[in-house]
Amino acid sequence: MSGRIARYNPARVYELVGTVPVADPTRVDAVVRAADAAQRGWARTDVADRVAALRAAADAVEPDLPVLAELLARESGKVLADCRGELGFALTFLRWVADRAPRVLADTALDDAAGRLLLRRRPYGVVAAITPWNAPIILSLLKIAPALAAGNTVVVKPSPLAPLAVDRTVRLLASALPAAVLQVLHGDAEAGAALVGHPLVGKVAFTGGAATARVVAAAAAAQTTPTTLELGGNDPVLLLADADLSPEPMRRLVMASFATSGQVCMAAKRLYVPAARHDEFVAAYRQAADEVLCLGDPLAAGVSMGPVVTAEAAARITGLVEDAVARGGRALPVGRADPGTDLRAGHFVAPTLVTGVPEDAAVVAEEQFGPTVPLLSYRDEDDLVARANAGELGLGASVWSADEERAFAVARRLEAGFVFVNTHNRTGMSLRAPFGGVKRSGYGREYGDEGIAEYAQTCVVHAPAAFRAGGAGAAANAYPSA
C-alpha cells in the first residue's frame, strides 16, 4: 500500500476531513530503528525526569484541545461533547501516570535472613501501539503514557478510520520529548505487519477486534514478542429484582449502551431483567432514551449520538435487527432524531431496543458494536448468572441492585474482567481500577498500577544467604529452601 489515507466524515460522507501518508515497510523499519536508537538514552533518564517530560507533553497538547475535539468528531462521527471529554480525560490519565509511575516503577530491595534480593523494573525497548478508531486518543494514551514512563520508546499506528486526531496529538506530545521517543505512522495491514513483526519491537500493545488480534498475536509470536490485547466484549447487564428503574439510573443505562453509537468494547450489550418487571422496564427505558438520545450530526448542539463509522457497519447492525425480527423479536425504536440533520447524508442507524428474541439470536450471542441492544427476561439468579456467563467473551458486566452487598455477591460469580455496580461503561471507570478482559476478551491490563506495570519487566539480582559472607553454604546440587 502506498500514497495517502483519506478520511471522510461519516456524518456527511462527501466531506473530506483530511489525509495522512501511508508508511511502507521501508518507512516502518526506519521509524522502529530510530525508536530503538533513542530508547537507550530515554531508559537511562531518571524516572523523575521522564515523568516531568510527560507533564510537559500534556501541557503541549492543552492549547489545541478545541481544534483536536472538532477534528476527532468530524473523522469518527463521535459527538463533539464526547470528543472534548475524551481528550481532557486522556490528559488527566497522562498526568495521573506521571504521578503514580515513580512509585510503581521503583526498585524493591530485601535484605534479610534469606539473603539479599533486588527487584528492578526494566523497560521492554520499543513498544508498538496499535490503536482503534472508536476512542482513539484515550486508547493511544493508555499505551503511550505508561510505556514512556517505564523507559520504553513508542511507535503508534492508529486505525485508518480515525488517524487524524491521533496523528496531531502524538506530534504535539512528541514536541516536548526527545527525538524519536514517540512517533506515529499510518497504514493498513501491511504497515501493521511490518511494525508488529519487526525484530527490534520489544512489546506490542493492541486494542481492537478479535480477527485482527489473532493476526497481531501470531505475528508477534513469530518473534516471541510479548503482547497486551484488549479486545471486544458482549457485556451483560444484570438487573436484579430490586433494581432502581427511576429516571436517573435509566438514563445512565441508556447511555451505557448508546454512547458513541454503541461502538464501545465495554458498552452494555445484553440487558437481563426479571420477567415480572419486563414491561415496567421497557416503559422506563424508552422514556429515558427519549430524554437523552438525540441522533444527528456530531457537531450539532444537543446531539448525543452520531453515525456509525462506515456503511459496512451500518449494514451489519441493520442486519442484526432484521434477523431478530425474523426470529420473532420486536424492534422498538428509542430516542429521537435531530430535525436539523440530514440522516441520509451519513451512516446513521436509529437506536433500537430488541425484545422477544431467543438467546442464540445473533443480536444476543454476538457483540453488536452498534446502536442496538437486546432485552431478555430471566427466572432466577442461577439462570441469570448462567446466561450472563455464556459465550466466549468476558470483558465487562454490570449488576444493578438497591443492595450493594447482594450486587457484589452476584458480581463475584460473573466471568468478566471488570464488573460495574449500578452503572456501566465509562461512568463506572476509575483511574485506579485495572481494566481488561478474561476468556477471549484479551489479556493484560490498562489503568491502575497494573496498567503501568504492563510496560516494565521485573528483573532480579539475588544473593542467597547461604553464599554470603558468614553463610552456611550448601551442596553444589542443592535445591533452594523455603
Side-chain angles (χ1 to χ4, degrees):
M1 183 179 181
S2 61
R4 301 185 72 84
I5 295 171
R7 184 60 189 147
Y8 289 83
N9 187 337
R12 296 185 294 276
V13 297
Y14 51 82
E15 178 186 292
L16 177 65
V17 183
T19 67
V20 290
V22 171
D24 62 16
T26 300
R27 173 61 181 161
V28 173
D29 179 66
V31 167
V32 173
R33 290 185 182 279
D36 180 65
Q39 192 271 327
R40 292 161 182 78
W42 180 245
R44 286 194 297 268
T45 303
D46 187 79
V47 66
D49 294 326
R50 292 201 299 265
V51 300
L54 293 186
R55 293 188 184 96
D59 293 343
V61 176
E62 195 95 44
D64 277 50
L65 288 182
V67 173
L68 288 167
E70 182 171 334
L71 179 62
L72 180 57
R74 291 175 61 218
E75 69 171 326
S76 69
K78 193 170 182 172
V79 297
L80 184 57
D82 286 351
C83 293
R84 290 171 178 149
E86 178 182 337
L87 281 153
F89 179 62
L91 295 190
T92 296
F93 174 76
L94 177 56
R95 292 172 173 132
W96 181 85
V97 168
D99 290 341
R100 290 293 303 169
R103 180 181 300 179
V104 176
L105 300 171
D107 291 349
T108 301
L110 296 174
D111 195 342
D112 55 22
R116 183 176 177 184
L117 181 65
L118 175 65
L119 306 181
R120 306 176 68 212
R121 313 295 183 189
R122 306 300 298 162
Y124 285 90
V126 178
V127 171
I130 315 294
T131 60
W133 51 264
N134 58 331
I137 305 300
I138 183 57
L139 292 174
S140 294
L141 265 293
L142 285 174
K143 299 157 183 59
I144 291 169
L148 292 180
N152 305 280
T153 54
V154 180
V155 178
V156 182
K157 195 200 84 65
S159 166
L161 297 178
L164 305 174
V166 174
D167 185 271
R168 185 161 182 166
T169 301
V170 170
R171 293 180 189 280
L172 286 167
L173 291 167
S175 70
L177 300 169
V181 164
L182 175 61
Q183 300 172 86
V184 60
L185 55 79
H186 302 279
D188 283 329
E190 183 182 45
L195 178 59
V196 171
H198 200 290
L200 294 179
V201 166
K203 177 158 186 170
V204 176
F206 171 84
T207 300
T212 304
R214 286 190 288 270
V215 175
V216 167
Q223 298 288 344
T224 61
T225 303
T227 56
T228 294
L229 303 179
E230 198 271 277
L231 309 180
N234 193 9
D235 290 20
V237 173
L238 289 70
L239 293 132
L240 304 188
D242 62 348
D244 183 359
L245 305 186
S246 64
E248 195 278 326
M250 284 298 96
R251 289 192 292 265
R252 193 162 62 247
L253 179 55
V254 167
M255 291 310 299
S257 288
F258 294 108
T260 316
S261 299
Q263 301 168 121
V264 179
C265 60
M266 59 180 175
K269 298 190 176 84
R270 293 178 285 154
L271 312 179
Y272 289 93
V273 66
R277 302 193 73 185
H278 179 278
D279 293 348
E280 177 191 1
F281 176 86
V282 170
Y285 190 89
R286 296 186 78 181
Q287 180 177 340
D290 288 343
E291 294 173 7
V292 299
L293 283 186
C294 180
L295 177 66
D297 190 299
L299 300 180
V303 166
S304 59
M305 192 182 116
V308 295
V309 69
T310 63
E312 293 77 13
R316 180 183 56 79
I317 296 155
T318 300
L320 289 175
V321 175
E322 291 173 347
D323 173 73
V325 172
R327 300 194 60 177
R330 292 181 63 203
L332 304 176
V334 295
R336 51 198 164 81
D338 172 45
T341 298
D342 179 5
L343 299 182
R344 299 166 300 178
H347 308 309
F348 290 96
V349 178
T352 307
L353 177 68
V354 179
T355 65
V357 288
E359 204 84 11
D360 62 351
V363 75
V364 179
E366 300 175 9
E367 181 183 22
Q368 311 94 22
F369 215 72
T372 185
V373 64
L375 174 65
L376 304 111
S377 299
Y378 68 89
R379 300 184 306 276
D380 55 48
E381 187 175 295
D382 289 340
D383 170 53
L384 172 63
V385 171
R387 291 162 66 189
N389 286 338
E392 60 181 13
L393 300 179
L395 186 60
S398 62
V399 181
W400 301 62
S401 173
D403 183 343
E404 189 173 280
E405 288 302 317
R406 185 182 176 204
F408 269 72
V410 173
R412 291 187 179 97
R413 301 177 64 188
L414 298 180
E415 297 169 358
F418 198 111
V419 182
F420 306 93
V421 173
N422 289 325
T423 192
H424 202 119
N425 208 332
R426 67 178 182 237
T427 56
M429 300 295 289
S430 169
L431 292 172
R432 70 179 186 174
F435 181 86
V438 299
K439 300 198 286 189
R440 300 291 185 186
S441 287
Y443 46 81
R445 292 296 180 262
E446 296 183 318
Y447 295 103
D449 290 350
E450 290 85 347
I452 299 172
E454 282 284 338
Y455 294 92
Q457 305 174 83
T458 300
C459 299
V460 173
V461 181
H462 184 217
F467 310 114
R468 299 177 74 185
N477 62 347
Y479 283 91
S481 58

